[in-house]
Amino acid sequence: MANEDRLHAVFRQAKRAFLLNPPASPASDTNSEELKTARSIARAVGGSDLEKVVVASSYGAQAGDGIGDLSVLYEFEQLVQGTGVPTAINRAAYYFTNLDNLLETAKEGHLSSPFPGDLVLPMVSPADLAEVAAIRLSSTNNDVGIEYVEGPRRYTFTEVAQAFSNALGLPVALQGIARQRIEKSFREQGFSEAAARSYARMTMATIDGAELPNEPIRGKVTLEEHVNSLVSQT
C-alpha cells in the first residue's frame, strides 16, 4: 500500500478494481495511518487506465477530521473520484461482523454497547456487500456514484441482545456504555489514545445522526442468521 509505483503497476494490468482501504492497527493512530493508505491507493489509481473502480465506503461518511471511518472514507471517496476514473461507491451499513466480539460476554448473559437500545441502526452482512460489489464491478461504466447497502431490515441493539439470547438459549441483557465512557471503553480494549478518540467520535456521530437512506440496496442475510451462524461455529 505504501509503494505507489508498484501498486500503480498492478492497476495498469487490470481493467477494473475493487478498492478497500485497509484498517490500521487500533494500537496506532488509526486516522493518520488510514489516511496515508487512502491517499496512496488514490494516487496509484490516477493515470492507471482503469476503466472503472468500486470503492468500499461507509454509511455516514462525511467531511471532517478524526471521525474514524466516517472522515477517512469520505476523503477516500473524494480522492478516487478526483482521479477521473469512473467510480462506483458502495456505502455500507454497520457490519454484522462487528458483533462477533460480543459473543463471549453474551455467553455470560450480557453484552455492552455504546449504542442506545432503541437506536434504529442499518446493519449488513459482508457477504451481501461482496455480492453488490461484484455486481457493480461488472456493470456498465454508467453505474457510478453512491449506493447504500444494508440488510433486509434495520435493527436496534435490544434486538441484537435478543438474537444472541435466542441463539444461545439463555437470557442476554444489554448493558449500555455511557457517552462519557465511550472513549475510555476503547482504551480498555487496547486502542491507542488517538484511535480511541477517533473511534469514540465516530460512534457518537452515528448515535447523533445515523444515516437512514430511503432507497438502499437490500441484502438477504438477517441479523438472526448471522448470530445463529456465529454461535454454531463455537
Side-chain angles (χ1 to χ4, degrees):
M1 292 298 156
N3 191 322
E4 293 169 28
D5 290 338
R6 291 184 64 185
L7 191 56
H8 181 78
V10 171
F11 287 153
R12 287 186 62 82
Q13 297 176 49
K15 290 185 178 180
R16 299 184 176 204
F18 172 67
L19 307 178
L20 188 153
N21 192 38
S25 166
S28 69
D29 181 341
T30 51
N31 195 75
S32 175
E33 292 303 311
E34 290 170 9
L35 281 173
K36 287 179 185 177
T37 52
R39 292 163 180 165
S40 179
I41 294 168
R43 284 193 291 263
V45 168
S48 64
D49 295 328
L50 285 165
E51 64 181 29
K52 182 181 179 180
V53 294
V54 176
V55 172
S57 188
S58 172
Y59 272 43
Q62 58 190 266
D65 181 52
I67 321 175
D69 286 345
L70 306 188
S71 54
V72 170
L73 292 177
Y74 180 81
E75 180 160 340
F76 191 36
E77 293 176 359
Q78 298 299 305
L79 290 169
V80 175
Q81 286 181 307
T83 66
V85 176
T87 303
I89 297 167
N90 289 347
R91 286 189 177 178
Y94 186 87
Y95 286 20
F96 284 148
T97 44
N98 288 334
L99 307 173
D100 292 2
N101 63 359
L102 301 176
L103 177 58
E104 293 309 310
T105 58
K107 289 178 179 179
E108 299 172 1
H110 62 90
L111 58 84
S112 299
S113 172
F115 296 108
D118 60 352
L119 177 70
V120 176
L121 197 63
M123 300 185 188
V124 69
S125 166
D128 284 329
L129 295 176
E131 184 172 339
V132 175
I135 290 170
R136 298 197 79 189
L137 196 61
S138 57
S139 64
T140 69
N141 285 2
N142 293 327
D143 178 19
V144 293
I146 297 171
E147 291 283 3
Y148 293 87
V149 188
E150 60 183 84
R153 70 176 186 87
R154 293 162 182 170
Y155 301 93
T156 66
F157 263 78
T158 297
E159 291 174 302
V160 170
Q162 187 60 54
F164 275 103
S165 177
N166 293 342
L168 292 167
L170 56 84
V172 177
L174 177 63
Q175 297 179 341
I177 298 173
R179 190 181 184 95
Q180 62 270 25
R181 286 201 71 258
I182 293 176
E183 185 172 334
K184 183 178 180 181
S185 72
F186 283 113
R187 291 286 285 147
E188 290 170 348
Q189 295 174 57
F191 284 59
S192 71
E193 182 176 344
R197 182 169 57 252
S198 179
Y199 272 69
R201 292 189 67 200
M202 174 171 61
T203 301
M204 289 186 284
T206 302
I207 293 170
D208 293 340
E211 191 165 17
L212 302 173
N214 291 326
E215 297 183 359
I217 297 173
R218 292 202 174 273
K220 302 172 184 176
V221 181
T222 66
L223 167 66
E224 292 78 11
E225 288 170 335
H226 178 81
V227 172
N228 287 342
S229 176
L230 175 66
V231 170
S232 69
Q233 294 171 28
T234 61

